[in-house]
Amino acid sequence: MTRRQHEELVGVLAMLTTFAIGGAIVAALAGPTIVPIAAVLGIAFVKGRLVVLDFLELRGGHHPMRIALICWLSIILIAALSRSLVVLLLG
């Protein structure tokens, strides 16, 4: 790993930490409405995408594992959003 790659990875780690803290604050201060839930899930998608692209080193090219991991992340977050919508509408 070159020095530049190390610095970029540290920058991504700082972004992930910021997103994690921001997501926790939004989740703690928000009520049970759909906007904060969608915001937290959006932040979770960005964090997951950064992990897949940078920490798993799948940023270059169109590797099948990259596509599969991002699709899996999307499916999980859509399921979480669907569950939240059902709970809000029925509860």
Side-chain angles (χ1 to χ4, degrees):
M1 178 179 285
T2 65
R3 180 179 176 149
R4 180 176 179 206
Q5 291 172 331
H6 184 278
E7 289 173 355
E8 287 176 359
L9 201 59
V10 169
V12 171
L13 180 61
M15 279 194 303
L16 285 172
T17 305
T18 303
F19 287 147
I21 292 169
I25 290 170
V26 169
L29 297 177
T33 60
I34 195 62
V35 174
I37 292 171
V40 170
L41 292 176
I43 291 170
F45 179 79
V46 172
K47 290 189 312 186
R49 189 172 181 278
L50 284 173
V51 168
V52 167
L53 296 180
D54 291 324
F55 287 97
L56 297 179
E57 297 181 359
L58 296 174
R59 185 169 287 280
H62 293 288
H63 195 277
M65 183 62 77
R66 170 188 174 178
I67 296 167
L69 288 171
I70 291 176
C71 287
W72 172 79
L73 176 64
S74 299
I75 290 168
I76 295 297
L77 293 175
I78 288 169
L81 182 62
S82 300
R83 181 193 173 276
S84 297
L85 285 172
V86 168
V87 168
L88 285 173
L89 294 174
L90 297 178

